[in-house]
Amino acid sequence: MEKTERLIVASSPQIHCGDTTARIMWTVSACLAPAGIWGIYVFGFRALLVILISLAAALAGEAAAGKMTGRSTLKDGSAFVTGLLVAYNMPPDVPLYIPVIASLFGILVVKWCFGGLGCNWMNPALAGRVFVFFSWTGGMTTWRFPGTMDMADTVSGASPLGFLKTSLANGVSGEGLWGSYPVSGMDGRVTGWLNETLGLSMRGGYADLFIGNIPGCIGEVSALLLIVGAVVLLIRKIITWEIPAAYLGSFIVLTWIFGGLPMGRGFFSGDVLFHLFSGGLMLGSLYMATDMVTSPLTRKGMLIFGFGCGFMTFLIRQFGSFPEGVSLAIIFMNILVPMINRFTGPSRFGVTTRKERQG
Amino acid sequence: MKDIMTFSKGGIHPADNKALAEQEAIRTLAIPPVCVVALGQHLGKPAECGLSPGDEVQRGSVIGTASGFISAPVHSPVSGTVKELTRIRLPNGQQTAAVIIETKDESPEVIQPSDEWRKLSEAQLLERIAAAGVVGLGGATFPVNVKYMVPKGSRVEYFVVNGVECEPYLTADYRLMLEKTENILTGIEIVRSILHPEHIIIGIENNKPEAIAVMQKAVSALSTPITVTPLKVKYPQGDEKQLLKAVTGREVPSGGLPIAIGAVVSNVGTLNAVYEAVACSRPLIERIVTVSGSGIVRPSNLRVRIGTPFRALIEECGGFIGEPVKIVAGGPMMGFAVCDLDTPVTKGTGGLLVLTEKEYKKRERTACIQCGRCIKACPMGLNPTRLFKWIDHLDYSAAEDEGLMDCKECGSCAYSCPAHIPLVQGMKLGKLMLRKKKAN
């Protein structure tokens, strides 16, 4: 009976829910996988190469930083997620040094200069992306039509959001704005079927946006698969509903009310579906704004953060000079997180007055 | 079911694992050859002992007298000879004086309940409870007679009976409710004649439907109105602040006692002890201990004399299965890990758990990723990760300003933390340092 030499003596609680940081990070990576596989499927081998290069750079950066600080953090999976997200934010034909620099900037400068995992105040992958976007704008905005769009000969083209911005700048307005944008055969079939069975009169193009038959960054094009992964994360309680709901909700409402203005269509005429499924909104709102380290701690804080992201994304997309505003919006709100946390702490049990609450 | 209540803020849902022992009727453990009776086994000042080695003691005779306002006497759980006066380490890490008694054969105990207590005044009843050394058996071990001394000007609106037993594994209170229903109700009667509450509520979580049914049936036969309130399962509902929030909707103010909202709470085990003390003139010399966990051959609920070494309980339950990873005195959420099987049962020991790898895997601590799960789990609305950082930076008063003293170490935060940060350990340290600072 005396097998007590190796008993663990530790402070209570003596049991644990069993979850670990590493499990959270690897689950996020797993839920991101389908969207990446789709990216490889439509953009080909080149997309896989970008993903592998980004991952390698991120892991190498993490290993180097770990070596310097004497901490072994590769297994916690956070650098893998960063590398993956950097790759997902790259166009498939990006020069290969760009994802390397983005990953290294994110890991070494944004994360480790502030103390490593948990101490960074900005999402490393997003910071890396924004850094290279402003440094090599040309390489970061060269797009390719996916292989599923029956446009094999047309190698390069504008992303839907970019097309819209350019058309607006050229003085095109009204309904014809993205009417001239190419549509795949798959979209025609899906839209036709939807219109027939549901009695709608939906125009072509939305199905392409939703499924991911559009030019764009490797991991952001398939809204459908990103949503599938996010549902798993919600069920596993790795992300909570507050940030995506506040982000997407505020963005939808603002786009619906004001989105028609730049096109000269007046209020309440914004093209909500187009904006919802184009660009990096799904990837950003479901996977990057919800990053635990760089988002607020409490429900109230998360809702404020989400609204802020939605508002900034809307502002940049509709009235800014860039076609896309998701990464800048999230980074801007990242900066405000400490302040949001300060004012949205939990309300204490048995403490009623404001004075008492502040000690 | 909208009617079933619980507390609103925080809380967690660990697997309750009560099935291991809940069907086991209470068995009486044989008297051990040697009893180790701690003199400081209650909250407050330790009892004072005037015995010396060689002295004879009788079952129930006083071996330590209460040494202050918040203190309790300690009685000899067995008849025998004092072998040694020594110091021992209790599961919670504290050292205390202890009396080691070599037991000899004792005459069988005849317990004769009587109704004669009904003629006693409130003060006389309190005196009997105090003399019997009754302390809160839910785990806090606060002297019960002190708890029932309501300050002048306060009115007791609610007397709440705590049958929640929210700690996983533990089934001692559950068995007591099934097997000693009448004792508990008499205990409630006794407390009623001390406190004169307007309402009496028995709170039981609805993972114990049998206990709810038995208590409901028993109270329906009474002339005095007692409500049995089923509660939605959520840890730590057995804490008096959470229980009161659940059954009365009122929040005990920060730093205050339940009496501030007109309430007094007692555990069912305590009421059984009150009954024995007052109606049977029997001091507190034994308690029910749940021996459970996946590492024990036969999980059981045992009636154990205070001072019995853990080893005897484990032997009675058939020993270990495989290699234990942790042995816990108390429940798994707030109990203490022990490494010495000679540690004795005290008045506060509600459970003895043998955990294996199935139930606990040691994991490395990683960096805090600001996930906010500790905040979501905290029933007191604290920010554990922030408090921990203050304590880590040795700024205890900053932690105090943010409510550190409200923390009752329920463990919900550390249970939920994916980074395996020892949050409760930090809180305990911070509270200890603050108390030390105040004492100087």
Side-chain angles (χ1 to χ4, degrees):
Chain A
M1 166 174 161
E2 291 296 277
K3 281 191 247 163
T4 53
E5 308 81 33
R6 296 204 291 159
L7 284 179
I8 296 170
V9 178
S11 166
S12 63
Q14 310 297 349
I15 50 173
H16 191 274
C17 67
D19 213 354
T20 63
T21 307
R23 188 174 300 171
I24 290 175
M25 295 296 172
W26 291 116
T27 310
V28 172
S29 296
C31 290
L32 277 166
I37 292 169
W38 174 266
I40 297 167
Y41 169 65
V42 295
F43 297 123
F45 172 73
R46 175 78 195 184
L48 176 66
L49 194 63
V50 172
I51 292 176
L52 291 179
I53 291 265
S54 302
L55 284 176
L59 293 174
E62 183 83 3
K67 189 131 202 161
M68 280 188 272
T69 53
R71 289 153 66 182
S72 160
T73 50
L74 274 182
K75 271 188 243 154
D76 70 21
S78 66
F80 192 89
V81 174
T82 301
L84 207 55
L85 285 173
V86 165
Y88 280 20
N89 277 298
M90 296 288 150
D93 293 310
V94 71
L96 289 179
Y97 60 89
I98 292 184
V100 172
I101 291 170
S103 280
L104 289 177
F105 181 81
I107 295 283
L108 293 177
V109 178
V110 179
K111 192 164 113 183
W112 277 95
C113 280
F114 292 89
L117 179 63
C119 301
N120 50 295
W121 45 274
M122 198 184 262
N123 185 318
L126 274 179
R129 174 198 146 100
V130 169
F131 179 69
V132 295
F133 181 83
F134 286 111
S135 306
W136 294 279
T137 313
M140 287 294 289
T141 50
T142 307
W143 310 105
R144 169 146 60 106
F145 283 112
T148 43
M149 270 185 93
D150 325 319
M151 303 190 57
D153 301 333
T154 327
V155 171
S156 65
S159 69
L161 280 173
F163 183 82
L164 191 68
K165 263 286 165 335
T166 320
S167 309
L168 276 175
N170 292 338
V172 186
S173 68
E175 290 299 327
L177 256 180
W178 61 294
S180 55
Y181 198 76
V183 169
S184 74
M186 193 194 292
D187 179 274
R189 288 192 294 277
V190 173
T191 310
W193 178 80
L194 276 177
N195 285 344
E196 205 171 296
T197 45
L198 298 174
L200 303 172
S201 54
M202 202 168 67
R203 52 169 304 166
Y206 292 120
D208 270 350
L209 285 171
F210 187 64
I211 298 165
N213 287 324
I214 42 168
C217 294
I218 294 166
E220 73 180 20
V221 287
S222 177
L224 171 67
L225 293 174
L226 288 169
I227 291 172
V228 169
V231 169
V232 176
L233 289 182
L234 273 170
I235 293 170
R236 300 287 303 269
K237 294 190 175 152
I238 288 173
I239 62 173
T240 51
W241 59 270
E242 289 92 348
I243 291 174
Y247 192 160
L248 297 174
S250 60
F251 181 79
I252 288 170
V253 170
L254 288 167
T255 304
W256 176 58
I257 297 177
F258 302 106
L261 291 183
M263 285 105 188
R265 285 207 304 260
F267 291 104
F268 303 105
S269 63
D271 192 343
V272 172
L273 283 181
F274 172 80
H275 278 286
L276 201 54
F277 298 128
S278 58
L281 186 60
M282 283 299 148
L283 185 64
S285 65
L286 299 176
Y287 294 89
M288 299 201 283
T290 53
D291 170 29
M292 288 167 172
V293 178
T294 53
S295 63
L297 291 161
T298 59
R299 171 169 296 174
K300 217 196 298 175
M302 288 180 184
L303 289 174
I304 293 171
F305 177 82
F307 283 124
C309 288
F311 177 71
M312 291 305 294
T313 306
F314 155 80
L315 218 55
I316 297 170
R317 272 202 189 176
Q318 297 293 344
F319 303 108
S321 53
F322 301 112
E324 174 60 308
V326 171
S327 35
L328 289 172
I330 297 175
I331 279 193
F332 178 79
M333 291 309 291
N334 280 166
I335 297 170
L336 298 182
V337 165
M339 200 162 78
I340 296 174
N341 277 339
R342 175 173 292 240
F343 292 105
T344 57
S347 66
R348 284 172 52 190
F349 184 99
V351 177
T352 41
T353 63
R354 197 184 172 79
K355 201 178 149 206
E356 269 183 290
R357 212 175 285 143
Q358 288 166 346
Chain B
M1 294 231 261
K2 211 167 70 196
D3 312 317
I4 296 184
M5 295 179 285
T6 185
F7 60 98
S8 47
K9 216 185 282 297
I12 54 170
H13 295 95
D16 79 358
N17 289 328
K18 288 185 191 282
L20 283 169
E22 69 185 352
Q23 300 302 329
E24 298 288 328
I26 298 168
R27 299 201 302 279
T28 304
L29 181 67
I31 296 164
V34 173
C35 261
V36 183
V37 186
L39 290 168
Q41 49 178 300
H42 45 262
L43 207 76
K45 285 206 171 135
E48 276 163 4
C49 174
L51 297 171
S52 40
D55 288 353
E56 293 282 310
V57 289
Q58 299 303 315
R59 177 183 60 218
S61 66
V62 176
I63 56 173
T65 49
S67 63
F69 178 61
I70 300 182
S71 183
V74 175
H75 301 77
S76 178
V78 291
S79 298
T81 318
V82 175
K83 193 175 144 199
E84 201 186 340
L85 297 174
T86 182
R87 290 189 74 77
I88 59 162
R89 194 176 283 282
L90 293 177
N92 64 9
Q94 272 169 359
Q95 280 208 0
T96 177
V99 184
I100 298 182
I101 302 168
E102 221 158 51
T103 56
K104 60 180 187 204
D105 292 338
E106 55 176 56
S107 51
E109 195 179 4
V110 186
I111 300 173
Q112 279 178 319
S114 91
D115 252 1
E116 144 287 331
W117 62 267
R118 289 185 193 274
K119 296 186 210 104
L120 300 179
S121 69
E122 287 97 330
Q124 284 169 316
L125 288 169
L126 284 174
E127 217 166 274
R128 276 208 187 180
I129 294 173
V134 180
V135 300
L137 296 183
T141 63
F142 189 79
V144 165
N145 60 305
V146 184
K147 192 181 216 174
Y148 291 164
M149 280 181 219
V150 174
K152 277 207 176 72
S154 302
R155 198 168 52 115
V156 180
E157 281 181 69
Y158 293 97
F159 178 59
V160 178
V161 179
N162 189 344
V164 174
E165 202 166 46
C166 62
E167 278 270 13
Y169 295 94
L170 301 193
T171 51
D173 288 352
Y174 172 72
R175 290 312 306 183
L176 212 52
M177 284 190 277
L178 294 186
E179 297 177 31
K180 301 283 175 194
T181 321
E182 289 307 318
N183 293 7
I184 294 168
L185 290 181
T186 313
I188 294 173
E189 277 297 293
I190 294 166
V191 177
R192 202 169 68 90
S193 32
I194 298 172
L195 297 175
H196 309 292
E198 290 166 34
H199 310 281
I200 300 175
I201 303 171
I202 306 176
I204 306 173
E205 282 190 343
N206 62 2
N207 59 351
K208 306 177 212 18
E210 273 182 64
I212 294 171
V214 165
M215 293 308 271
Q216 250 159 359
K217 195 169 161 229
V219 299
S220 64
L222 295 178
S223 51
T224 48
I226 299 179
T227 323
V228 176
T229 307
L231 300 162
K232 213 191 271 178
V233 177
K234 185 155 83 163
Y235 180 88
Q237 195 145 241
D239 184 282
E240 56 185 14
K241 289 187 178 181
Q242 270 57 45
L243 178 59
L244 286 172
K245 175 78 182 176
V247 297
T248 71
R250 300 180 186 178
E251 286 188 12
V252 179
S254 168
L257 292 169
I259 194 65
I261 57 163
V264 173
V265 183
S266 269
N267 172 269
V268 289
T270 312
L271 288 167
N272 184 53
V274 166
Y275 157 81
E276 289 190 352
V278 175
C280 314
S281 304
R282 187 171 188 255
L284 180 59
I285 56 168
E286 60 181 21
R287 68 156 299 145
I288 317 293
V289 180
T290 300
V291 186
S292 188
S294 72
I296 196 90
V297 171
R298 185 185 172 194
S300 310
N301 299 292
L302 301 178
R303 180 186 308 279
V304 180
R305 296 286 167 98
I306 307 290
T308 308
F310 290 164
R311 187 186 305 280
L313 280 71
I314 289 169
E315 272 164 13
E316 166 68 22
C317 297
F320 300 142
I321 306 173
E323 188 174 353
V325 169
K326 258 185 188 176
I327 295 181
V328 180
M333 292 302 297
M334 291 186 70
F336 302 94
V338 292
C339 57
D340 183 2
L341 292 182
D342 292 320
T343 313
V345 169
T346 60
K347 291 177 181 178
T349 311
L352 181 62
L353 308 178
V354 181
L355 305 182
T356 63
E357 280 228 318
K358 237 191 275 174
E359 293 143 306
Y360 180 80
K361 245 196 177 118
K362 192 171 162 39
R363 298 208 194 257
E364 226 172 289
R365 173 181 166 185
T366 52
C368 170
I369 51 168
Q370 312 280 323
C371 64
R373 289 184 188 176
C374 54
I375 298 173
K376 218 175 230 174
C378 181
M380 299 308 287
L382 302 175
N383 184 338
T385 173
R386 201 169 149 84
L387 292 176
F388 189 84
K389 265 174 214 157
W390 287 126
I391 294 161
D392 218 17
H393 297 168
L394 311 181
D395 194 344
Y396 304 112
S397 48
E400 187 182 19
D401 290 344
E402 296 190 19
L404 176 60
M405 295 317 271
D406 280 354
C407 169
K408 50 210 181 190
E409 303 157 20
C410 71
S412 300
C413 54
Y415 175 85
S416 316
C417 177
H420 293 251
I421 295 169
L423 291 160
V424 175
Q425 190 177 344
M427 305 301 155
K428 284 182 177 179
L429 173 72
K431 287 163 77 175
L432 184 74
M433 296 311 274
L434 280 172
R435 275 193 215 108
K436 271 196 181 156
K437 210 170 79 182
K438 290 223 168 88
N440 289 333

